[in-house]
């Protein structure tokens, strides 16, 4: 007789490793000391943990779970939750039952069982106390008692009722045996088997990630572009995703567009806890939603859903119309038993996206955004936590737990024995297919490309992958000009013997031409850098620059340079524009693409100066730039402006805490959080990766009509450069940014910002003005609460005015380079920075594979803010949005 195949390898691996102390060798050939420890006992709840401890060089110590034992213990835990802690199921048992027809017998005799088995498959409920039952139970393998060998705490119970589910082969047919001495236990198992069969007969299973987390539209960092998240999840069998990282709600239409572009059978949606499923989020200002009623009203107005935590005293204190609960493991009891919809958040890729949800749709129902939400709101869903723990209604949870005990059914359903990995490096797409099946795979890898991306390689490649083997195929991608300056989604499919595994990734391309969109200089010469990404097959090509006076057609300056760059790479060159004072448009043409800049050129005058001085005596020099109007102090720490003093008012319009340390400087890991130096600084990640970095410094020009200081640093292959220039005797301070980031994808957003504290005291007399799409908007400094807003600008400036001390500040920048302008009014309530000030942060994306340029202009003076705006406008430094 031949047994139905079970997981012998897993069991033998675990049994061989019990109570073993070994010496293992690392890949470097050095020895690490390894010991195995476990705990099967009680602290504040029952534990069954199995770990491997490694010591290296005695002082290095790390603990890792023993994976195989943890798998097996999870089976015991699931059985306990099903009410039958002694239930042991051979893997593949349910898969076989659900795949074939069979005849059921209750306590058959040996002859009856033999006759039935000769005619087809049989499911037999047996008592090992009977003669027929004892003969079948005797065929259980010797390793069947593995839970006792594991020392699972459940197996210490004297009243443990064992039930064994296993298979035998009889005359070419399969005998499925449920063996237990307890009739009630056999009946309970029968009901569980019927429930699992009924579930898969009626429903399709749709696995997904709710609360998948990216920070694509945020200055804060985390791992994973949305398409990388989707691709990773699809490889795990996911067919739907709801994103809710900070500002992920802005991705709603973009996500849908990417899926449509690839014709992927994937549903996406977005939200921000506590609201999800809204038709749009156009006017959502998350930092102004102070009250729970505001979230509920917003969701109702936008046709969405609002969720709450199970334990929330504030929500309990008033009657509010919530739609459901947020599930966590600690509230499993409530999520399981209360007849209320729930969601379970997945979280970030750098935390391995452990949680998932499975939705159940009737066989004839298509997965759509509407049917996804219908299943969630009808509680036709199960939440799956780390280690296979489940929450949700028992009618769905228990059958899914039975299927997880079986393992084989779910892995086959989601094609999980096929692993698909995608990686884009430059213009190369590498697809790795791994075969974890028990037989060789013969199938096809196929890629789906969006418009603008082509390849000379076959888009469908046949593969023959041996058991436990892998094959890698490469596709060389070619970009057309329409693919530049956008995220291009890429689809990957592997099909083999009726099984399909899908994934997705992207080719993220910068603008072909990168320039400063807004720039100022002084006659007779303006430095103008141009970086070109070569997306063509040429390696040498011309780049033409024309400078045209506003209102004219003929160029005042024209020059062509030859660039050398391999396909997919980029090169920067400097143009020195020889121009008289005036307002200009700069046109750059290369590779069939054009880009324009707004340029103001002023007359050279004044005699500013720059000196090095160590103001705080720490051995690191500061750099003081000064003219008749302002005194500017630069810090090498973070390459920031720490003082911008308006001389006519003797006022540093920038908040400054340096050289004092933060009030809570000695808090644990304090330097990992926002740290209040002050001044004009950046959010490069939040808190900024550059806050405490001491930059390299070079004084570029220390005399003449302007003075200039360059600061730069390299973050492990990613260069950030800033050039600070003070012009003439005016208040005009220019900050030029150039970012050449190659391998730092988490920092996808830069937010340069002046931290404003106008006058002697930054208080409610301070007024702030922004030129929003609907007109000028005024904000008074709030002193009793923190306040933030994402602002969509019509023109590229913001202003502040101290109405009591008559001092003003204006910042200017290229408006169409922004995602939005973020305003933040800070008070002493802030956990990280207990101070009063206001931030205006233009948020802009950092390009890869080309240099990212950006300029910010600071103008502070006595008198009205309107005068400052007009002074900047007269220098051609006020940009007007063409997008809004």
């Amino acid at each position: 007789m031949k047994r139905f195949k079970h997981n012998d390898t897993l069991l033998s691996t675990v049994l061989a490793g019990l109570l073993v102390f070994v010496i293992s060798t690392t890949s470097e050939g050095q020895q690490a000391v390894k010991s195995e420890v476990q705990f099967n006992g009680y602290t504040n709840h029952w534990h069954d943990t199995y770990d491997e401890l490694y010591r290296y060089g005695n002082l290095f110590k790390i603990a890792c779970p023993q994976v195989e034992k943890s798998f097996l213990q999870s089976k015991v835990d699931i059985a306990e939750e099903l009410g039958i802690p002694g239930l042991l199921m051979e893997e593949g048992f349910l898969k076989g039952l659900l795949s074939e027809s069979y005849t059921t017998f209750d306590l058959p005799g040996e002859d009856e069982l033999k006759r039935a088995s000769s005619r087809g498959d049989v499911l037999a409920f047996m008592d090992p106390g009977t003669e027929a039952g004892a003969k079948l139970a005797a065929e259980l393998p010797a390793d069947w008692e593995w839970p006792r060998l594991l020392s699972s705490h459940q197996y210490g119970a004297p009243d443990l009722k064992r039930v064994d589910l296993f298979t035998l082969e009889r005359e070419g047919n399969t005998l499925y045996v449920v063996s237990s001495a307890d009739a009630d236990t056999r009946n309970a198992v029968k009901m569980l088997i019927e429930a699992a069969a009924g579930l898969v007969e009626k429903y399709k299973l749709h696995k997904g990630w709710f609360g998948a987390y990216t920070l694509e539209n945020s200055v804060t960092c985390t791992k994973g572009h949305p398409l990388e998240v989707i691709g990773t999840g699809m490889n795990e069998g996911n067919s739907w995703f709801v994103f809710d990282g900070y500002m992920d709600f802005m991705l709603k239409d973009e996500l849908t567009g990417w899926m449509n572009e690839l014709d992927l059978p994937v549903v996406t949606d977005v939200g921000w806890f506590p609201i999800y499923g809204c038709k749009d989020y156009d006017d959502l200002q998350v930092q102004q939603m102070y009250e729970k009623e505001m979230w509920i009203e917003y969701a109702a107005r936008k046709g969405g859903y609002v969720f709450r935590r199970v334990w929330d005293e504030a929500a309990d204190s008033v009657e509010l119309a919530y739609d459901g609960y947020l599930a966590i493991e600690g509230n499993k009891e409530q999520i399981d038993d209360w007849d209320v919809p729930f969601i379970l958040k997945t979280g970030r890729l750098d935390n391995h996206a452990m949680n998932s949800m499975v939705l159940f749709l009737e066989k004839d129902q298509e997965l759509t955004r509407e049917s996804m939400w219908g299943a969630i709101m009808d509680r036709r869903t199960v939440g799956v936590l780390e280690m296979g723990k489940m929450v949700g209604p028992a009618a769905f949870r228990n059958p899914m737990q039975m299927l997880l005990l079986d393992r084989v059914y779910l892995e086959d359903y989601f094609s999980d024995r096929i692993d698909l990995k995608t990686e884009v490096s430059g213009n190369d797409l590498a697809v790795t297919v791994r075969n974890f099946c028990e037989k060789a795979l013969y199938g096809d890898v196929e890629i789906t490309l969006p418009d603008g991306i082509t390849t000379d390689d076959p888009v469908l490649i046949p593969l023959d992958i041996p058991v436990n083997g892998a094959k890698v195929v490469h596709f060389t991608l070619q970009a057309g000009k329409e693919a530049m300056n956008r995220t291009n989604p890429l689809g990957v499919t592997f099909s083999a013997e009726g099984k399909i595994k899908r994934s997705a990734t992207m080719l993220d391309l910068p603008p072909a031409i990168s320039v400063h969109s807004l720039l100022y200089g002084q006659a007779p010469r303006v430095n103008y850098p141009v970086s070109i990404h070569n997306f063509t097959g040429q390696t040498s090509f011309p780049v033409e620059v024309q400078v045209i006076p506003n209102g004219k057609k003929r160029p005042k300056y024209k020059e062509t340079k030859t660039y050398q760059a391999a396909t997919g790479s980029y090169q920067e060159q400097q143009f020195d524009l020889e121009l008289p004072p005036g307002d200009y448009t700069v046109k750059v043409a290369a590779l069939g693409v054009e880009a324009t800049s707004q340029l103001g050129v002023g007359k050279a005058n004044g005699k500013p100066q720059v000196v090095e001085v160590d103001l705080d005596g720490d051995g690191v020099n500061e750099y003081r730039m000064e003219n008749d109007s302002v005194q500017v102090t630069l810090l090498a720490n973070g390459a920031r402006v720490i003082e911008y003093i308006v001389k006519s008012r003797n006022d540093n319009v920038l908040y400054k805490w340096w050289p004092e340390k933060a009030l809570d400087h000695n808090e644990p890991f304090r330097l990992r959080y926002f740290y209040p130096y002050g001044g004009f600084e950046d959010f490069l990640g939040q808190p900024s990766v550059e806050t405490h970095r001491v930059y390299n410094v070079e004084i570029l020009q220390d005399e003449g009509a302007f003075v200039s200081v360059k600061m730069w640093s390299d973050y492990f292959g990613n260069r950030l450069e800033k050039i600070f220039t003070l012009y003439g005797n005016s208040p005009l301070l220019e900050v030029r940014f150039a970012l050449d980031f190659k391998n730092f994808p988490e920092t996808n957003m830069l937010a340069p910002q002046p931290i404003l504290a106008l006058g002697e005291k930054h208080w409610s007399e301070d007024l702030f003005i922004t030129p929003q799409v609907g007109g000028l908007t005024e904000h008074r400094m709030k002193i009793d609460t923190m306040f933030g807003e994402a602002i969509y600008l019509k023109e590229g400036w913001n202003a502040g005015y101290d109405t009591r001390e008559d001092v003003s500040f204006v910042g200017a920048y290229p408006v169409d380079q922004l995602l939005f302008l973020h305003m933040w009014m800070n008070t002493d309530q802030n956990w990280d920075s207990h101070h009063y000030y206001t931030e205006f942060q233009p948020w802009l994306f950092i390009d890869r594979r080309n240099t990212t340029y950006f300029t910010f202009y600071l103008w502070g003076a006595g008198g009205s803010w309107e005068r400052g705006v007009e002074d900047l406008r007269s220098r051609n430094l006020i940009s007007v949005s063409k997008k809004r």
Side-chain angles (χ1 to χ4, degrees):
M1 287 178 287
K2 182 180 178 183
R3 291 186 46 76
F4 193 95
K5 186 174 291 184
H6 68 285
N7 201 347
D8 294 309
T9 303
L10 178 59
L11 289 174
S12 60
T13 300
V14 173
L15 296 174
L18 287 171
L19 305 177
V20 175
F21 181 88
V22 298
I23 301 295
S24 64
T25 303
T26 70
S27 59
E28 291 79 16
Q30 303 300 316
Q31 289 185 328
V33 179
K34 170 188 170 184
S35 59
E36 296 186 0
V37 297
Q38 68 183 66
F39 175 57
N40 305 90
Y42 184 87
T43 56
N44 60 353
H45 66 288
W46 286 101
H47 297 264
D48 294 274
T49 60
Y50 310 86
D51 295 302
E52 294 175 337
L53 290 181
Y54 293 88
R55 299 196 307 278
Y56 186 76
N58 183 262
L59 300 181
F60 178 92
K61 187 176 180 180
I62 190 171
C64 307
Q66 290 180 277
V67 177
E68 294 86 357
K69 291 181 183 179
S70 299
F71 283 158
L72 295 177
Q73 179 61 45
S74 73
K75 292 176 177 289
V76 180
D77 295 338
I78 290 171
E80 180 180 32
E81 186 169 330
L82 289 170
I84 314 173
L87 186 155
L88 295 183
M89 183 194 297
E90 180 182 315
E91 292 184 346
F93 184 94
L94 274 182
K95 168 65 176 175
L97 276 182
L98 298 176
S99 302
E100 305 291 342
S101 60
Y102 57 87
T103 305
T104 303
F105 289 88
D106 189 17
L107 301 179
E110 187 173 359
D111 292 340
E112 182 182 14
L113 191 59
K114 183 176 182 180
R115 288 193 300 270
S117 295
S118 69
R119 295 192 294 267
D121 292 349
V122 172
L123 170 61
F125 291 85
M126 307 298 295
D127 183 344
T130 65
E131 181 179 357
K135 288 185 177 181
L136 294 179
E139 297 191 45
L140 285 168
D143 61 14
W144 195 252
E145 292 297 314
W146 55 262
R148 296 192 189 280
L149 296 175
L150 275 178
S151 300
S152 301
H153 79 269
Q154 293 93 337
Y155 275 67
D159 58 347
L160 181 80
K161 293 182 174 63
R162 281 291 299 275
V163 56
D164 302 313
L165 282 65
F166 58 97
T167 62
L168 299 169
E169 285 197 5
R170 291 285 195 269
E171 301 181 27
N173 295 314
T174 303
L175 173 60
Y176 298 90
V177 181
V178 177
S179 176
S180 178
D182 184 76
D184 290 339
T185 299
R186 293 195 303 272
N187 188 58
V189 170
K190 181 179 181 181
M191 295 176 64
L192 287 170
I193 291 173
E194 290 173 349
L199 183 82
V200 300
E201 180 180 359
K202 182 176 181 180
Y203 296 105
K204 290 184 293 185
L205 283 56
H206 291 279
K207 184 169 175 246
W209 286 350
F210 196 109
Y213 195 98
T214 79
L215 291 167
E216 178 64 11
N217 291 320
S218 175
V219 296
T220 312
C221 296
T222 194
K223 176 184 177 182
H225 183 279
L227 281 167
E228 293 175 311
V229 173
I230 289 173
T232 302
M234 291 176 70
N235 184 48
E236 296 184 19
N238 291 6
S239 54
W240 59 273
F241 300 83
V242 178
F243 287 86
D244 77 344
Y246 185 64
M247 293 294 175
D248 274 356
F249 58 81
M250 298 180 68
L251 293 169
K252 182 176 176 64
D253 293 338
E254 201 165 11
L255 290 166
T256 302
W258 286 330
M259 298 304 98
N260 291 341
E261 205 167 350
L262 297 177
D263 195 25
L264 285 176
V266 170
V267 170
T268 60
D269 207 351
V270 297
W272 172 251
F273 186 79
I275 60 173
Y276 299 91
C278 296
K279 62 182 180 181
D280 63 64
Y281 297 84
D282 290 347
D283 56 350
L284 178 61
Q285 296 286 347
V286 296
Q287 293 172 330
Q288 298 176 19
M289 306 289 276
Y290 304 115
E291 306 294 337
K292 294 181 180 295
E293 291 86 349
M294 298 170 72
W295 292 103
I296 292 173
E297 185 278 329
Y298 187 95
R301 179 162 52 89
K302 296 286 188 175
Y305 306 96
V306 59
F307 294 83
R308 54 163 287 181
R309 292 176 175 83
V310 172
W311 172 250
D312 186 339
E313 292 179 300
D316 289 336
S317 64
V318 290
E319 292 188 8
L320 299 174
Y322 286 96
D323 294 295
Y325 287 97
L326 172 66
I328 60 172
E329 184 179 357
N331 287 123
K332 173 176 168 56
E333 175 187 354
Q334 293 83 2
I335 298 300
D336 288 355
D337 297 339
W338 293 355
D339 188 19
V340 181
F342 70 91
I343 57 173
L344 174 66
K345 295 180 65 170
T346 294
R348 308 193 308 264
L349 275 188
D350 54 2
N351 286 338
H352 310 297
M354 303 301 288
N355 296 343
S356 62
M357 294 180 71
V358 180
L359 311 181
F360 303 92
L361 302 185
E362 294 194 6
K363 289 289 182 71
D364 60 350
Q365 189 176 21
E366 182 183 358
L367 176 64
T368 63
R369 179 178 175 273
E370 291 71 27
S371 64
M372 176 191 76
W373 277 110
I376 292 172
M377 301 313 293
D378 289 345
R379 273 176 67 88
R380 284 181 283 113
T381 184
V382 166
V384 185
L385 300 109
E386 188 173 359
M387 306 287 284
K389 299 172 185 176
M390 297 188 195
V391 297
F396 294 99
R397 172 170 40 86
N398 289 348
M400 287 299 293
Q401 289 171 318
M402 288 290 287
L403 292 174
L404 181 55
L405 289 178
D406 176 85
R407 181 184 66 84
V408 179
Y409 182 90
L410 289 176
E411 289 186 345
D412 184 67
Y413 192 94
F414 292 110
S415 300
D416 206 42
R417 305 305 288 181
I418 302 170
D419 190 72
L420 196 57
K421 179 182 178 182
T422 62
E423 185 175 0
V424 175
S425 178
N427 282 19
D428 177 76
L429 168 62
V431 179
T432 303
V433 186
R434 295 188 180 275
N435 177 17
F436 293 94
C437 300
E438 295 177 343
K439 63 179 182 178
L441 277 177
Y442 301 90
D444 300 314
V445 167
E446 184 176 8
I447 62 170
T448 304
L449 303 177
D451 292 342
I453 303 294
T454 59
T455 181
D456 289 337
D457 299 316
V459 296
L460 188 148
I461 297 177
L463 292 181
D464 176 5
I465 311 173
V467 176
N468 291 324
K471 291 288 180 69
V472 183
V473 293
H474 293 266
F475 302 87
T476 300
L477 306 177
Q478 299 163 357
K481 63 182 181 181
E482 61 272 25
M484 302 305 296
N485 199 26
R486 72 184 300 264
T487 297
N488 298 276
L490 309 173
V492 180
T493 302
F494 179 73
S495 305
E497 304 170 21
K499 298 184 183 300
I500 297 178
K501 178 59 71 76
R502 293 186 174 91
S503 187
T505 185
M506 83 287 186
L507 180 62
D508 206 14
L509 291 174
I513 301 174
S514 184
V515 294
H516 283 289
S517 299
L518 182 69
L519 204 60
Y520 183 79
Q522 287 182 335
R525 187 175 293 106
V526 179
N527 176 258
Y528 184 80
V530 177
S531 186
I532 306 293
H533 177 101
N534 180 20
F535 60 88
T536 72
Q538 309 172 53
T539 57
S540 178
F541 49 89
V543 177
E544 181 185 70
V545 173
Q546 296 185 66
V547 186
I548 304 168
N550 288 355
K552 306 290 185 181
K553 295 182 179 180
R554 293 172 60 89
K556 192 72 175 178
Y557 177 88
K558 185 175 181 179
E559 184 179 3
T560 299
K561 290 189 176 185
T562 299
Y563 277 53
Q564 307 284 339
T567 301
S569 66
Y570 56 102
Q571 184 189 35
E572 178 192 72
Q573 292 195 44
Q574 306 289 326
F575 289 77
D576 288 321
L577 312 180
E578 296 182 0
L579 298 166
D583 296 344
Y584 299 94
T585 297
V586 183
K587 292 185 178 181
V588 181
L591 305 174
V593 180
E594 288 190 353
T596 60
S597 297
Q598 185 172 322
L599 173 65
V601 179
K603 182 180 179 182
N605 59 32
K607 292 184 178 180
Q609 59 181 337
V610 57
V611 296
E612 295 185 56
V613 57
D614 185 0
L615 296 175
D616 59 345
D618 66 349
V620 178
N621 284 340
E622 285 70 55
Y623 298 81
R624 177 159 286 169
M625 311 168 79
E626 189 169 1
N627 61 19
D628 292 346
S629 300
V630 294
Q631 176 182 288
V632 175
T633 303
L634 310 178
L635 291 187
N637 299 74
R640 52 169 45 89
V641 181
I642 195 62
E643 290 179 336
Y644 182 99
I645 297 174
V646 176
K647 289 187 172 182
S648 65
R649 297 295 185 268
N650 192 29
D651 179 38
N652 178 20
V653 297
L654 302 178
Y655 156 79
K656 182 186 78 167
W657 188 245
W658 176 90
E660 299 296 327
K661 295 184 182 297
L663 299 174
D664 51 2
H665 178 77
N666 293 320
E667 283 279 342
F669 295 111
R670 182 62 183 90
L671 298 185
R672 295 184 182 182
Y673 303 98
F674 178 79
Y675 198 96
Y677 278 71
F680 176 91
E681 61 178 20
D682 315 319
F683 276 178
L684 178 64
Q686 203 285 324
S688 178
V689 69
E690 61 176 346
T691 295
H692 310 286
R693 173 66 66 98
V694 178
Y695 274 56
N696 302 294
V697 183
E698 178 185 358
I699 298 177
L700 298 179
Q701 182 161 322
D702 60 1
E703 61 180 13
F706 65 89
V707 291
S708 189
V709 176
K710 178 169 75 172
M711 296 187 177
W712 75 96
S713 188
D714 186 279
Y715 296 88
F716 307 100
N718 304 280
R719 178 184 169 91
L720 173 55
E721 174 186 290
K722 307 177 195 179
I723 298 177
F724 303 88
T725 303
L726 182 63
Y727 288 101
N729 284 329
S730 77
L732 186 63
L733 176 66
E734 175 187 82
V735 187
R736 286 195 187 192
F737 291 82
L739 292 82
D740 186 6
F741 278 24
K742 294 181 172 64
N743 56 9
F744 203 176
E746 296 81 24
T747 55
N748 61 301
M749 189 81 70
L750 176 71
Q753 59 158 352
I755 306 180
L756 299 177
L758 303 173
E760 182 178 353
K761 183 179 182 180
H762 189 59
W763 212 242
S764 58
E765 66 269 15
D766 294 340
L767 178 69
F768 299 97
I769 304 92
T770 51
Q772 300 187 28
V773 173
L776 293 181
T777 302
E778 295 185 352
H779 297 275
R780 286 276 179 175
M781 174 61 189
K782 297 181 182 297
I783 59 173
D784 54 352
T785 185
M786 293 182 289
F787 182 84
E789 183 172 329
I791 297 171
Y792 298 92
L793 297 174
K794 181 62 178 175
E795 293 187 329
W797 61 270
N798 60 271
Y801 180 60
D802 186 317
T803 58
R804 180 174 299 169
E805 300 189 33
D806 191 35
V807 62
S808 62
F809 172 87
V810 182
Y813 30 79
V815 63
D816 279 342
Q817 207 168 339
L818 311 187
L819 177 65
F820 53 70
L821 177 70
H822 181 244
M823 178 184 70
W824 175 251
M825 294 184 175
N826 199 74
T827 73
D828 60 357
Q829 302 169 35
N830 190 325
W831 185 262
D832 291 335
S833 183
H834 315 290
H835 309 278
Y836 290 87
Y837 52 74
T838 298
E839 303 171 354
F840 282 94
Q841 311 159 2
W843 287 21
L844 63 139
F845 288 108
I846 300 171
D847 296 315
R848 301 301 190 278
R849 307 177 68 187
N850 207 349
T851 304
T852 302
Y853 298 111
F854 186 73
T855 46
F856 195 109
Y857 291 92
L858 292 79
W859 185 282
S864 71
W865 64 268
E866 292 94 341
R867 177 63 184 273
V869 172
E870 288 310 309
D871 285 336
L872 288 169
R873 199 183 301 274
S874 70
R875 288 163 172 78
N876 202 27
L877 289 177
I878 299 297
S879 57
V880 179
S881 177
K882 298 179 178 64
K883 297 191 299 186
R884 300 187 177 97

